[in-house]
Every structure is written in C-alpha cells, then in structure tokens.
Amino acid sequence: MIEISHLVKKYGNHMAVDDVSLTMEPGRIYGFLGPNGAGKSTTMNIVTGYLGATGGEVKINGFDILKQPEEAKKCIGYLPEIPPLYMDMSVEEYLNFAAELKALKKKLRKQYVAEAMELTMISDMKNRLIRNLSKGYRQRVGLAQAVLGYPEVIILDEPTVGLDPKQILEIRELIKKLGEKHTVILSSHILSEVSEVCDYIFIISKGKLVANDTTEHLLKQVERGGRTLELLVRKDGARAEELLREQWAVEQIEITPGAEEDTVRLAFMAEEGTDIRNQLIKELVAADIPLLELKSAGKSLEDIFLELTDQVNQETDQSRQESLSGDISVSSGDASESTGDI
C-alpha cells in the first residue's frame, strides 16, 4: 500500500529524515513512534504530499506522490496534529466543503458526509458551529474529514494530543474501528497508545528508522541473554540471594526493600531458554523461605524505545565528536604550515 525508498529531508544543514526505507501493507494499523523532533511529522507530511523530499521516493498504492500527486492523494485521508478546521462553519457545512475539495462524486457526497459523521459519532453536532465544540469533538470532526470517501490509507498525526482521558479512550476505539477497513498510520510519541492500538511499529530517532516489527517480535529482539524474574520474600533476602547464586550461578541480583514491612524484592536475569520457576519455588519451600510473589518482568515497549533511541543518540554524539576532532586536526595542520610560510 505504501512504499518509502531512501527518503531524505534536509532543512539547511539539519537532517530531519535520514535515508528512511519502509513498506506498509493493507489492512494494518501502523504505529510511527519517536521522541519529539525525531522526524515523524516530517515523514508523514512528505507521504501526504504536503512537503517535498530532498531525496528518495514515496509511492501510495503504486502512485508516486511527486510525479502522480492527484492519483496518490486520492488514496489518502489525513488528520494533521492541528486539524484544519474552519471555525465559522457548522460541522456539516465543513464536511460538505471537504468533500468538494476532495472531488468526491456529487451524487455520493451527502451519503459520505452522513456516514463519516455517524462513524465518528458527531451526527448530533452537525448543525453546531465548530468554534462552539470542545477539543474532543473538534478532533472528531478532523477525523471525519480524513475518512470522507473511504480512502485506502488514513494518516493520523498525534490524534490524541491535548485530549482528556475519556476523549483519548474514545479516539483510540475509533482508530481500532477504522483499522478494520483501512490501512491506518498513527504517528505518536505516547508509547502506551501505540502498543495498545497498533499491529506493527516503526521507531524513528534522529531522522533514522531504528526498528520496525510487531510489538512481540521487538520484545524478543531486544531481550538479550534471557528474561528478568522478580521474587518477593519475607525477611530472608540474604538466604534467597545465596540460594540463587549456588543453585543457578546467578551473578547480578538487584535487591530492594518490599512495599510491606520485613519483605525483600530480588530481581535477576534467568538464563535464556530455561524456565526455573517450578524448581525455584521447590527450593525456596525446602529452605523455609516464605515466598510472597514470583513474576516475570520482561522489557516493556518503553524499555525498548529508550534503549534504541539512546543507542542512536550515542552513535550520533560519537560521530559528531570524531568529525569535530578531525576538523581540529586539519586546522592544527593548516596553522603549522602557515607558520612555516611566515
């Protein structure tokens, strides 16, 4: 449905998007995840044809967004971070206007508008001026504009920013519903939102694509050497630690006080491909160590996000330092040559 090849966008010396290549298949909800300033919105704006690229290619349903913009844009419904609403129009007037701008068939426009309002649950608001709507309802109007005419691809840039918790839940449910019939791209820096709504995740940092996979596979890729287990025992934390070191040669054990009095929490990494939980329980019982809790504490999407983006930041800082060192060396050489000439 969407093919992005070696996409590059520069603003002067700033590289906003750095050689990004990815594909998106029909019938999925994709999460485009990254910190503020990572290049998410820039990439989305290029995909929609709002911005031109410095280099690379973007195809929507086989149409090049640069060479065949009209055909490509007919396949896209777009909700920017700030919805493009006309405050002096009523909801229905605005959607009729949007349908006309999209060049939808005249005989179907009334039907499309009614169905978009029903889908986004704003039919009761159709005669109200947009200026008098709450932020949540304005966001719904923006969504209705995006789904008008049932485009194959719906792109949502930060659709829940500034909404209250109830509105956020409502918009998320709406996005899931849209995903049943459309390819949806959700750009966000809210990790819980992406993990809850999306089938597939792209993580971008410093303009670079650092990961793309399902949430499940991302977790498996980032987990190294096994999974973390946590024990909560009463009083005998030292004996539990000794047992772990003797029985399973566990080296790194993090020990912290439990929430309740006289309890200790032990976190450690279990060897990859092994499940020691049953045997561990038996050993603790045999050693008369009261076990209150045993759980697996695998990495979350937040852990993956921080690990991958931190890695990119470190690499970027290192390359800058090397570049700076090279510049200093060259300058020093030039200075010595100039002195010789004098």
Side-chain angles (χ1 to χ4, degrees):
M1 183 58 69
I2 296 179
E3 297 176 64
I4 300 175
S5 302
H6 304 290
L7 188 64
V8 174
K9 179 63 178 178
K10 291 182 180 178
Y11 294 101
N13 294 324
H14 175 64
M15 184 76 76
V17 181
D18 189 359
D19 194 27
V20 170
S21 296
L22 54 90
T23 58
M24 299 182 187
E25 300 174 359
R28 280 186 170 185
I29 302 178
Y30 289 91
F32 210 61
L33 185 63
N36 290 326
K40 304 185 304 297
S41 293
T42 300
T43 303
M44 295 298 96
N45 284 331
I46 293 172
V47 171
T48 60
Y50 183 72
L51 282 178
T54 306
E57 184 180 62
V58 176
K59 288 187 176 181
I60 312 294
N61 205 16
F63 299 110
D64 191 302
I65 194 67
L66 180 62
K67 298 176 182 177
Q68 302 163 289
E70 288 191 16
E71 292 85 349
K73 290 178 182 180
K74 285 179 181 179
C75 304
I76 299 172
Y78 180 40
L79 174 65
E81 184 175 349
I82 301 174
L85 305 176
Y86 291 92
M87 299 299 172
D88 291 329
M89 287 185 174
S90 70
V91 171
E92 190 171 32
E93 285 173 341
Y94 170 74
L95 292 176
N96 282 321
F97 176 62
E100 187 175 349
L101 288 178
K102 290 188 174 189
L104 300 179
K105 292 180 180 179
K106 287 185 178 180
K107 62 181 181 180
L108 295 176
R109 284 178 192 171
K110 188 174 181 180
Q111 175 188 337
Y112 284 147
V113 168
E115 289 174 352
M117 288 192 294
E118 184 179 353
L119 179 65
T120 54
M121 294 176 286
I122 56 173
S123 298
D124 293 343
M125 304 288 169
K126 68 179 183 178
N127 294 320
R128 292 186 62 179
L129 293 180
I130 294 174
R131 69 162 68 249
N132 296 328
L133 298 179
S134 68
K135 184 173 178 58
Y137 272 107
R138 290 180 189 179
Q139 202 76 350
R140 287 176 184 272
V141 174
L143 271 171
Q145 167 272 139
V147 302
L148 270 176
Y150 303 108
E152 291 94 334
V153 179
I154 297 175
I155 299 176
L156 310 174
D157 191 0
E158 305 282 1
T160 60
V161 168
L163 302 185
D164 64 40
K166 183 175 183 295
Q167 292 169 338
I168 289 174
L169 292 174
E170 290 173 349
I171 295 297
R172 287 180 184 175
E173 287 302 314
L174 179 55
I175 292 170
K176 290 178 183 178
K177 191 173 181 180
L178 290 173
E180 296 172 3
K181 296 182 179 180
H182 306 267
T183 298
V184 180
I185 304 170
L186 171 65
S187 172
S188 180
H189 63 274
I190 304 173
L191 285 79
S192 59
E193 184 167 84
V194 172
S195 60
E196 182 178 333
V197 173
C198 299
D199 306 316
Y200 202 93
I201 295 173
F202 296 100
I203 299 179
I204 189 170
S205 180
K206 301 283 187 181
K208 294 179 179 289
L209 185 66
V210 296
N212 67 99
D213 212 329
T214 63
T215 306
E216 182 182 356
H217 288 164
L218 280 175
L219 286 166
K220 288 181 179 178
Q221 287 175 15
V222 177
E223 288 283 7
R224 297 185 180 94
R227 62 176 175 175
T228 301
L229 293 177
E230 285 189 5
L231 289 174
L232 181 64
V233 298
R234 191 174 297 282
K235 294 183 180 179
D236 297 311
R239 290 178 61 201
E241 179 185 4
E242 184 180 353
L243 187 149
L244 288 170
R245 295 190 187 280
E246 289 180 354
Q247 294 288 80
W248 290 280
V250 176
E251 295 182 0
Q252 294 184 348
I253 304 175
E254 183 180 344
I255 303 176
T256 55
E260 299 179 19
E261 189 177 354
D262 294 331
T263 61
V264 178
R265 189 174 296 277
L266 298 92
F268 63 96
M269 185 71 75
E271 187 179 346
E272 187 176 10
T274 63
D275 189 349
I276 66 170
R277 289 175 295 179
N278 287 338
Q279 187 61 31
L280 177 58
I281 292 171
K282 292 179 182 178
E283 296 291 344
L284 290 170
V285 171
D288 197 25
I289 300 174
L291 175 63
L292 303 179
E293 183 178 288
L294 171 60
K295 66 178 182 179
S296 176
K299 289 188 176 181
S300 65
L301 184 59
E302 283 83 356
D303 297 322
I304 295 172
F305 176 79
L306 291 172
E307 182 168 334
L308 291 171
T309 53
D310 285 348
Q311 181 180 342
V312 171
N313 290 338
Q314 290 171 8
E315 290 173 355
T316 302
D317 291 341
Q318 184 178 353
S319 64
R320 284 177 180 171
Q321 289 174 0
E322 290 173 355
S323 176
L324 182 60
S325 299
D327 292 341
I328 292 172
S329 299
V330 170
S331 299
S332 300
D334 291 343
S336 61
E337 289 176 8
S338 298
T339 304
D341 291 340
I342 293 171

